[in-house]
Amino acid sequence: MVVEIKDLVKRYGDFLAVDNISLSIDDGEIFGLLGPNGAGKTTAINCMIGMQKQDKGQIKLFGQDFTGREGSIKKEIGIVPQDLALYWDLTCYENVSFFAKLYGLKDGLLRSRVQEALEFTGLWDRRKDLAKKLSGGMKRRLNIACAIVHQPKLIIMDEPTVGIDPQSRNHILQSVKELNKKGSTIIYTSHYMEEVEELCSRIAIMDHGKLIAKGTKEELKAFITVEEKTEFELSSVNYTITDTVKQVSGVKDCVVDGSRLTVISEKNSRNLSKIIDCISAAEADILSMNIEKPTLETVFLTLTGRTLRD
Amino acid sequence: MKALNIAYYTILRNFRDYKTLLLMLALPIMLIATMGSALGSVFTPGDMSVTTICYLDEDKGFMSQSFEEFLESEEISKMMQYKTAASKEEAFELIKDGRAVALIVLPANLSEDIQKGGKASIEVYNSKYSSFRESIVQSTINGFVNGTNAQLVLRQMGAVSQEYEMFDNIEETAVTAEGNAPRAIDYYAVTMLVMTIMYGTGYGNFAMKEEKRLNTSIRLASAPVNYLEVVLGKLAGSVVSVFLQGMVIIAFTKLVFNVNWGGSLGLIIFVCFSASLMSVGLGMMVSNLGKNPQATGGLLNLGVSITTFLAGGYFPSSQMGPAMEKLGHISPNYLAQQAMFNTIYGGSTAQTTNLIITIWAIVIAAFIIAGLTERRSAN
Ligand SMILES: Nc1ncnc2c1ncn2[C@@H]1O[C@H](COP(=O)(O)OP(=O)(O)OP(=O)(O)O)[C@@H](O)[C@H]1O
Ligand SMILES: [Mg+2]
């Protein structure tokens, strides 16, 4: 077991940021930590790596208690912070090299590891450029290079793909898989369901500081296979539609998001024509319609009644 | 080892921050050049004659005669005026009122003692706080005494005519004194150097807070490095950055403006180093006492302009009356400035030692307070 968390509680004043969560992560996993803004993901991670003191609960990394063994445990962890953590006036090479030295790397090993990390993130050609001169995607990749240069056993990535182009994003997703193949256990935090679905073997979903579900993708989806999700893109949405749709037999929930209407029904309710009747009764045109197979997004929606991103 | 790594990269980054660097180096050098020439008249020898000293002659022997000749010599009289005092009490009144800066006493039997080859000394009384001007007086007297000593040695060796020697000796001293007379640029080189070092409070202010702003504090905290090592590394990096900037100013002003940094460059450099520690320490302390580094940074910048002004950094405070001059002595800039003036112009060694000890006392106090208030947190 690489990570074992038991009854973790973290408060900021009166605010409960992490509310009694327990989870364990196995060696070699890519573990997804999913949740909307403010769910408490970063706070949980900070407690995990000893950056913040929890109010309650136990955390074991590599089967050991953190206190007293900080040095040896920290050596095995690499953290990719959610917000870029780079020295803008240093070059890519200097940034990676600086952090590598904090892990005791030196001389030949230092040089080869720094080169490896920069090549791995596709920044070797840009090694002499100042960090501030990089594009957004490259900065994200440098943020990763600084975290993996010491080849940690556990890599914690806190939303490593926020705000970048699809190409850089793909590059990063591929890198995560490769790092995992090379033997690192990975904790991957995101609010992009697709990423987590593509990468992770097991997933925990957080909301308002609580762990609301955890398991493999299949387990989570099985959780809602009793449901069907239908999405309509409408010319106009008014709230009488949701009221009437909710009365249709088999409908469990109905959510409006802009011009989109999402309806969740029990499986095999065969109520689609009735739902469409409600919509046309409200004199709205259906611009498009999509009957979805369950995804993690549906899981989240079912569990919280909200979408992951507002 | 890891602290050294942190220190090295801190220096590297400080020196790559061209905007700040320009402010820290080009600005003072420009100020030295412009104030050194624009306000030059403040320091022309003619103006220096405003410096008035009291002279009490209890000796009335050949030494008093030669000392008076020395004071009246062309070079010295350009810098100093003397009033003959009837008693020490009268002289002390004048000094208290700021009408004279020092009292020089030729004690009774001075000439006799010298002739006998015994111990003899000229007494110099300064006001409690001595200033730039008083170091000039001190240095002038030292020049005279050194000359006399040399001449005494010669006489004891049975050398040439006494009268001729004496004259020669005064000449020599006068030449030294003139070489010592500071030009405005010599004055401003010192005060602006000290100002630059004091602006190093900014490095102290941002040392740890900057890591938080850059989020790199997360990496530092998650790496296997002691927090103390991180603080020491940041501290050393900041002190060395400030110190190196000071060295650049000394080298530049010496080579380009031919500024007089005196003969004891080692001591000047040590004062620079001590002042760099003081400045970074004070910066860290204020940073920790406040919350917002932007606010404490602004406060420190304002503070440094005030302490520089009080210490006579922009305009010699001796010209602003004795009250202002005394007020200036509470400025940390004054400690370093005065230590350097003393060193360059041969002022009192005892006072220099005291000044340096005071700087170190501030260093220790600042670091203790900074240490006690340092909050170890990532956010
Ligand atoms: N230092 C702090 N002081 C007070 N409240 C905080 C602090 N840090 C975080 N919080 C609050 O704790 C909650 C959880 O924050 P956290 O950063 O852990 O969320 P997150 O799941 O990482 O969100 P995001 O996806 O936006 O990164 C938020 O409501 C946040 O406002
Ligand atoms: Mg977060």
Side-chain angles (χ1 to χ4, degrees), chain A residues 12 46 49 51-52 70-71 74-75 77 79-81 83-91 94 97-99 101-104 130 142-144 146-147, chain B residues 1-3 5-10 12-14 16-18 210-211 213-225 230 234 376-379:
Chain A
Y12 293 116
N46 285 346
I49 59 170
M51 277 263 308
Q52 281 174 337
E70 283 197 24
K74 280 178 169 178
K75 260 195 174 126
I77 303 175
I79 173 132
V80 180
D83 300 312
L84 293 169
L86 302 167
Y87 295 114
W88 304 114
D89 281 326
L90 294 183
T91 64
E94 287 163 344
S97 177
F98 171 76
F99 291 112
K101 285 177 191 166
L102 293 184
Y103 288 84
L130 294 181
L142 184 57
N143 203 33
I144 294 175
C146 292
Chain B
M1 244 349 256
K2 285 172 187 171
N5 177 39
I6 293 169
Y8 170 72
Y9 282 92
T10 302
L12 193 64
R13 287 173 39 229
N14 284 342
R16 281 208 189 138
D17 180 2
Y18 298 118
E210 196 206 13
E211 299 290 334
R213 186 178 63 80
L214 293 172
N215 296 314
T216 41
S217 55
I218 299 181
R219 290 198 198 279
L220 293 175
S222 67
V225 202
V230 177
K234 294 299 296 181
R376 177 184 186 162
S377 113
N379 297 317

Side-chain angles (χ1 to χ4, degrees), chain B residues 52-56 81-85 90-92 94-95 99-105:
Chain B
T52 308
I53 59 159
C54 280
Y55 165 55
L56 179 59
Q81 234 174 29
Y82 73 94
K83 279 189 187 145
T84 323
E90 186 200 331
F92 289 153
L94 290 173
I95 293 177
R99 278 187 281 162
V101 290
L103 165 65
I104 297 167
V105 182

Side-chain angles (χ1 to χ4, degrees), chain B residues 339-362:
Chain B
M340 288 191 205
F341 285 138
N342 276 344
T343 308
I344 299 169
Y345 300 104
S348 146
T349 327
Q351 200 209 10
T352 310
T353 313
N354 276 337
L355 290 165
I356 294 176
I357 289 174
T358 312
I359 293 177
W360 278 86
I362 295 178

Side-chain angles (χ1 to χ4, degrees), chain A residues 242-257:
Chain A
T242 54
D243 289 343
T244 51
V245 169
K246 273 180 185 164
Q247 261 137 57
V248 172
S249 73
V251 171
K252 288 182 75 182
D253 200 1
C254 173
V255 186
V256 175
D257 176 13

